[in-house]
Amino acid sequence: MSRPCAESWASWAAQGSEGLSMAKARQSSATVAVASEESVRSHGGAWRLPPHLDTLDYLATMVSVVAPDGQCLFANAAFEEVLGLSRRSVLHDSIFDWFIEPILLKDIVAAVARNEYATSRLQAELKRHPHVFGEPLPVQVIVTRLDFEDLVLIELVEIEQQTRQEREERALDQAQANKELIRNLAHEIKNPLGGIRGSAQLLQMELPNKSLTEYTQVIIHEADRLQALVDRLLAPHKRPHLVADVNIHEVCERVRSLVLAEFPKGLTVWRDYDTSLPEFRGDREQLIQAVLNIVHNAAQALADGIAAGEAIITLRTRVVRQLTINRQLHRLALVLHIEDNGPGIPETIRDRIFFPLVSGREGGSGLGLTLAQTFVQQHQGTIECESEPGRTVFKILIPLP
């Protein structure tokens, strides 16, 4: 087989530009024709691979190179992260094993490998590691023929990805609007509260019948309660940001000890840490409070499970690459999963759980998640939530240096 030229290698990137991220790979791939060729040993022989495939690790979308029979010869870092498996465990297996109902994909890969057409696309569902992810991932599959050894390049674009980015933008705008609303509302409440409390105290001093002080005490008590609520609303915006080196696992361990001290029986808190995660600059106390608010909410939602001794909360840390958070692309980010096996968040409030004063629990203040989101956003991060009966997962995403 003839040696590929730079133009032929660059052409596959142009063909794959139907997925936006493939266009990014074209610039770094156009000059690799003179580099040494790599090879991958298959069960029946050796497959040569185009050189410098590691440049595809910089893409945020999932990319793999497969043989005509579906054997995976290369998978980029994003593919590894989304599957929840190491790259080594993915290589040499059939990529079709990771899809639900892969028959159509098999036919398309075979047809593209035979050069019946240069590229094709379809929608499919990608399986993921069952202990890390609950549901299959809907993806758009772009299959492109490489002008090299009859190999096929497969790009997977999360259908949810665009929706998630739009949701993040809405959440960011909503958080800014909430901040302004809370600040203005809190100041409007604080001013008359001081007058109400002071008047009640003066009235109490002038009452001829001391038995009537019960009523003035109610006024004073409620004014103090509202004052405390206003202070909590303003606290995230008034408190200075104390920056130092933060280890996310120390944060998790602190929260775990606090929650288990409050719920010593019937609750299990599992730990699944990626110990390779580096430290980062942040406010340790703010992050402890953010994680504690979420974990404490989960524990309260698990009341029936705790009574039955079946309540489980899992703290799981992972690192992800090329992640977009709040409209900015970050090379590395940590993801802290906080998962519980409770009844789930009511569907009626699922889209509003980060709004102030929205609570799914009777007697709840509705401020815990609002404060958690505020603290995480002050670290240029965000919080996402997926919930269904029996499984709720909050994901805290924070950029890493």
Side-chain angles (χ1 to χ4, degrees), residues 18 39 43 47 73 263 267 273 276 284 299 308 313 319 338 369 395 400:
E18 295 171 324
S39 65
H43 297 297
W47 286 101
L73 306 178
F263 302 92
L267 175 63
Y273 296 159
S276 67
R284 183 174 181 272
I313 296 175
V319 62
I338 302 171
L369 293 179
K395 293 192 292 185
L400 290 175

Side-chain angles (χ1 to χ4, degrees), residues 62-73:
M62 298 162 276
V63 180
S64 64
V65 175
V66 302
D69 63 357
Q71 179 191 353
C72 184
L73 306 178

Side-chain angles (χ1 to χ4, degrees), residues 193 197 201 217-231:
L193 270 182
R197 192 183 191 282
Q201 288 177 315
Q217 282 298 316
V218 170
I219 298 173
I220 294 172
H221 175 75
E222 289 302 306
D224 289 341
R225 186 180 64 82
L226 287 175
Q227 181 67 53
L229 176 62
V230 169
D231 289 341

Side-chain angles (χ1 to χ4, degrees), residues 1-156:
M1 182 170 289
S2 61
R3 190 178 185 86
C5 63
E7 289 80 4
S8 65
W9 174 238
S11 68
W12 70 259
Q15 294 168 348
S17 63
E18 295 171 324
L20 179 60
S21 61
M22 287 293 92
K24 300 177 183 177
R26 180 169 52 187
Q27 295 178 349
S28 59
S29 302
T31 59
V32 301
V34 297
S36 62
E37 296 167 344
E38 303 173 12
S39 65
V40 174
R41 178 67 56 183
S42 69
H43 297 297
W47 286 101
R48 292 188 306 158
L49 289 178
H52 294 276
L53 284 176
D54 56 349
T55 57
L56 299 177
D57 283 337
Y58 293 98
L59 299 181
T61 52
M62 298 162 276
V63 180
S64 64
V65 175
V66 302
D69 63 357
Q71 179 191 353
C72 184
L73 306 178
F74 171 84
N76 74 339
F79 201 100
E80 174 185 11
E81 294 295 338
V82 171
L83 281 183
L85 293 171
S86 67
R87 194 178 319 198
R88 181 175 298 178
S89 64
V90 174
L91 295 181
H92 310 305
D93 289 340
S94 173
I95 196 171
F96 304 132
D97 293 340
W98 292 102
F99 286 88
I100 297 174
E101 299 181 1
I103 296 176
L104 178 59
L105 179 59
K106 286 182 180 179
D107 294 340
I108 289 177
V109 169
V112 170
R114 293 193 300 267
N115 203 22
E116 293 182 13
Y117 35 85
T119 187
S120 182
R121 65 173 63 207
L122 70 152
Q123 290 190 359
E125 289 187 308
L126 182 69
K127 300 177 185 177
R128 297 190 287 179
H129 196 295
H131 299 303
V132 180
F133 305 99
E135 298 294 329
L137 180 69
V139 293
Q140 184 176 57
V141 185
I142 304 170
V143 183
T144 306
R145 184 177 185 273
L146 297 182
D147 190 13
F148 194 103
E149 292 274 358
D150 296 328
L151 300 180
V152 175
L153 182 136
I154 296 179
E155 181 185 11
L156 307 178

